Amino acid sequence: VLVERDPAERERRFELGQAQFYVGDVAYVRRDWPEALRWFQSYHDTSAGLLLETPDDGALAQEVAWAAQSLGAAHLKLSDPGEARGSFAQAASSWRRMLAEQPDDPMLREELASAESWVCEAALADGDLAASAAAAMASSAAWRDAARADPAHRGHALASIVADQRVARVGLL
């Protein structure tokens, strides 16, 4: 209601997007996939609308990428791998663009690697082995980059190994 009274109030609109995500997340945890999808779509639309107004806002670009990943997860649960793949690919593209602008940001490396692994899973569910393998290799490369950038972070090394196993698994199918 507050947003309807003063749509120019960016902070309230941002907070609305956050609330939409959390309501969607509760639905997701409850395994109410259609409801989760509805709220994640609202979160995406709110965040994307804000980003259109200030396209150089890196924090909003991250919100839109996270929203796309949330949408992809809900689409996968609803057995719609094509839509999931599109959402995950949108997120991966966004993370890749942000990482090109900030190559030393470890969080962006992790998010890109994660998004690529989701693209892999969605493409596999969609029956596209070639795209799944390509995404698995991209995820593996991104995790290796993260591990090289921060050798003390054991999670990156482990994720790199898991990603390499995913490449092998997809290659065997």
Side-chain angles (χ1 to χ4, degrees), residues 77-91:
K77 293 296 185 179
L78 286 166
S79 299
D80 191 351
E83 286 293 325
R85 202 168 146 188
S87 294
F88 292 133
Q90 176 194 350

Side-chain angles (χ1 to χ4, degrees), residues 41-144:
Q41 184 66 59
S42 295
Y43 165 48
H44 183 272
D45 294 348
T46 298
S47 299
L50 287 167
L51 184 60
L52 281 175
E53 295 170 16
T54 53
D56 294 332
D57 188 327
L60 283 174
Q62 291 175 10
E63 289 296 329
V64 173
W66 283 319
Q69 287 180 200
S70 297
L71 279 170
H75 280 298
L76 266 184
K77 293 296 185 179
L78 286 166
S79 299
D80 191 351
E83 286 293 325
R85 202 168 146 188
S87 294
F88 292 133
Q90 176 194 350
S93 176
S94 295
W95 295 122
R96 200 175 296 108
R97 185 174 49 257
M98 287 182 265
L99 187 58
E101 295 169 5
Q102 300 173 61
D104 296 328
D105 188 321
M107 186 272 299
L108 295 176
R109 289 178 195 280
E110 293 170 13
E111 293 295 346
L112 173 60
S114 176
E116 292 288 8
S117 70
W118 279 110
V119 171
C120 169
E121 294 304 317
L124 188 58
D126 206 20
D128 188 341
L129 295 180
S132 182
M137 287 186 278
S139 175
S140 180
W143 280 120
R144 278 195 306 279

Side-chain angles (χ1 to χ4, degrees), residues 145-157:
D145 288 346
R148 274 193 296 274
D150 186 1
H153 193 300
R154 290 179 180 238
H156 293 162

